[in-house]
Amino acid sequence: MPSASPPFIPGLALNRQFYAEVVRPLLDREVPDLVHSAALMGSGSDVLGFDTATSTDHNWGPRLQLFLPAREYAAQKVALDETLQNQLPPAFRGFSVNFSQPDMEDGGTQRMETISTGPVRHLIEIETIDSFFQRHLGVTPGADLNAIDWLLLSEQSLLEMTEGQVFHDGLGSLLPARERFDFYPRDVWLYRMAAQWQRLSQEEAFLGRCGDVGDDLGSRIVTARLVRDMMRLAFLMQRRYAPYSKWLGSAFSRLALARELLPLFEQALQAEDWQSRQRPVAAAYSFLAERYNALQITPPIDPSVRDYFGRPYLVIFAERFSRPLQDAISDQVLKGIPLIGAIDQFADSTDLTDDLSLPRRLRVLYTQDPS
């Protein structure tokens, strides 16, 4: 009869304990002179703190990254990997430390696979800091990035490099590497906010117009899009990276602004007619505008809503916020480019944003050179 599953432990807590109680003592005993850093970063719901018992079915369990000095990496990696295979216990806190072979028909997925004795096929990644950032973000921590380079980095990738937890930084360079990408440079932040207000301006009247012609489904779809765009604006205003759609609502609920906005968004999404729908959306516009003014980036802007050119559709004319934000940008290249936004503001295909080779090809969108 199969044994019962152990009680769920969030991955960050599990792996903080795994490093402190198993991995670090093992390293101190077997390779006492090893200089390293250790963390849980990169992809995975556990890195973002959104994992549940359901998450344990793939790429979850006792796992972390060990970072070695670049100059010693080649000489140490193989021996360190063998040491871990032979010395790690088969299980920790009831969870298997051994994992299946990567399932290449399922994107390389690995699952906990119970064994009674070693060697252990572990999920401890042994890397250099530069190679890890290059693989997950497409740039190294020491790269010289201009404003356009920042626009081609997806928020999800930046979040994966700055969330999670560092368990030990013996190299002294992992924490500074994460701090380098902690949030956008000021001008990039202003540009992204300008583009986000601009997105709202493009559809804010359609909630009412669709409903006015009897297209309630269209009105609902537009409402949901407006709510999503206001959520992403709230992340920017609070200087936080927004995750991709699976975790957007979960992460949004943790923002300080969510206390006032969540009830309004729920009312809007549950309303049965467009007139009832637009009232909480309009209230959310005004609330965000007031909070924007509190940032004191630009001169205050009237936060009140009004009819759309005499039609009974409540709007805030969101482009009124975009123009002053553009004026506040110091970077002359960034100031002059179209307000299409960063890569994940004008595209939400993960096949695009996750393929680190593709965004670079989109650099032409920010230039005046058609070639």
Side-chain angles (χ1 to χ4, degrees):
M1 187 173 182
S3 59
S5 299
F8 174 73
I9 304 172
L12 278 174
L14 174 70
N15 285 294
R16 183 169 57 250
Q17 297 166 19
F18 181 52
Y19 175 75
E21 298 175 25
V22 175
V23 177
R24 181 63 185 270
L26 187 160
L27 296 177
D28 288 345
R29 182 181 69 246
E30 299 295 329
V31 279
D33 295 329
L34 182 73
V35 178
H36 71 281
S37 295
L40 183 61
M41 299 165 50
S43 59
S45 57
D46 49 353
V47 171
L48 303 184
F50 297 131
D51 52 326
T52 65
T54 301
S55 309
T56 63
D57 63 355
H58 72 288
N59 293 355
W60 188 98
R63 71 183 191 95
L64 49 88
Q65 293 88 34
L66 286 179
F67 298 100
L68 304 182
R71 64 184 178 278
E72 300 171 16
Y73 173 77
Q76 293 180 335
K77 179 183 186 299
V78 173
L80 179 58
D81 185 41
E82 290 178 353
T83 297
L84 293 170
Q85 291 179 45
N86 293 319
Q87 298 296 327
L88 283 170
F92 177 72
R93 295 284 192 271
F95 296 101
S96 177
V97 178
N98 184 71
F99 288 79
S100 64
Q101 290 278 11
D103 183 352
M104 303 317 295
E105 294 184 357
D106 189 21
T109 292
Q110 291 181 265
R111 298 171 176 84
M112 288 182 289
E113 192 173 79
T114 301
I115 57 173
S116 56
T117 60
V120 169
R121 186 185 297 114
H122 60 81
L123 212 59
I124 295 177
E125 302 171 82
I126 305 172
E127 298 219 31
T128 67
I129 293 173
D130 277 1
S131 66
F132 188 79
F133 273 77
Q134 184 69 47
R135 181 159 62 88
H136 285 269
L137 191 58
V139 296
T140 61
D144 184 15
L145 303 179
N146 60 32
I148 305 303
D149 294 325
W150 276 95
L151 297 183
L152 296 174
L153 299 176
S154 76
E155 281 193 275
Q156 178 66 28
S157 297
L158 288 163
L159 194 61
E160 291 173 357
M161 292 296 95
T162 53
E163 287 292 318
Q165 194 169 106
V166 174
F167 306 134
H168 173 66
D169 191 16
L171 298 175
S173 51
L174 181 56
L175 288 170
R178 283 162 55 89
E179 290 168 5
R180 164 85 197 277
F181 297 102
D182 188 52
F183 199 66
Y184 302 111
R186 179 177 173 81
D187 279 350
V188 176
W189 175 49
L190 298 182
Y191 174 81
R192 286 194 64 121
M193 276 199 294
Q196 198 63 27
W197 281 109
Q198 192 72 10
R199 279 184 61 94
L200 286 167
S201 76
Q202 293 163 1
E203 295 191 334
E204 56 181 327
F206 298 168
L207 182 167
R209 184 56 177 159
C210 289
D212 203 15
V213 298
D215 179 11
D216 192 62
L217 175 60
S219 176
R220 290 175 183 272
I221 291 171
V222 171
T223 300
R225 287 172 59 87
L226 291 170
V227 166
R228 181 189 64 178
D229 281 342
M230 284 191 279
M231 290 168 67
R232 291 178 65 89
L233 178 59
F235 276 98
L236 283 167
M237 287 171 55
Q238 294 205 236
R239 299 181 63 84
R240 297 286 302 276
Y241 292 132
Y244 74 136
S245 59
K246 177 167 66 170
W247 302 121
L248 183 63
S250 298
F252 177 77
S253 68
R254 299 178 179 180
L255 294 182
L257 295 181
R259 180 177 179 181
E260 288 81 5
L261 288 172
L262 268 176
L264 296 174
F265 292 160
E266 289 170 354
Q267 291 172 36
L269 294 172
Q270 294 169 8
E272 294 299 322
D273 58 76
W274 70 266
Q275 292 93 341
S276 302
R277 204 168 289 138
Q278 74 169 349
R279 286 193 289 272
V281 168
Y285 290 151
S286 291
F287 174 77
L288 282 168
E290 290 168 357
R291 291 306 177 94
Y292 166 81
N293 285 333
L295 295 174
Q296 298 183 334
I297 301 168
T298 63
I301 299 170
D302 181 4
S304 61
V305 296
R306 66 288 311 269
D307 287 346
Y308 184 70
F309 297 111
R311 298 179 181 181
Y313 317 141
L314 295 177
V315 298
I316 198 167
F317 288 108
E319 68 274 11
R320 294 183 300 122
F321 297 80
S322 300
R323 291 190 294 271
L325 279 165
Q326 276 186 298
D327 292 340
I329 294 171
S330 300
D331 186 294
Q332 293 305 304
V333 173
L334 202 56
K335 185 189 286 283
I337 64 176
L339 275 181
I340 58 174
I343 183 172
D344 44 19
Q345 288 180 289
F346 64 75
D348 58 8
S349 168
T350 54
D351 288 332
L352 169 62
T353 56
D354 287 355
D355 186 336
L356 298 180
S357 67
L358 291 177
R360 297 186 187 95
R361 304 181 195 178
L362 299 176
R363 187 178 298 273
V364 67
L365 296 175
Y366 300 108
T367 71
Q368 304 299 319
D369 183 1
S371 62

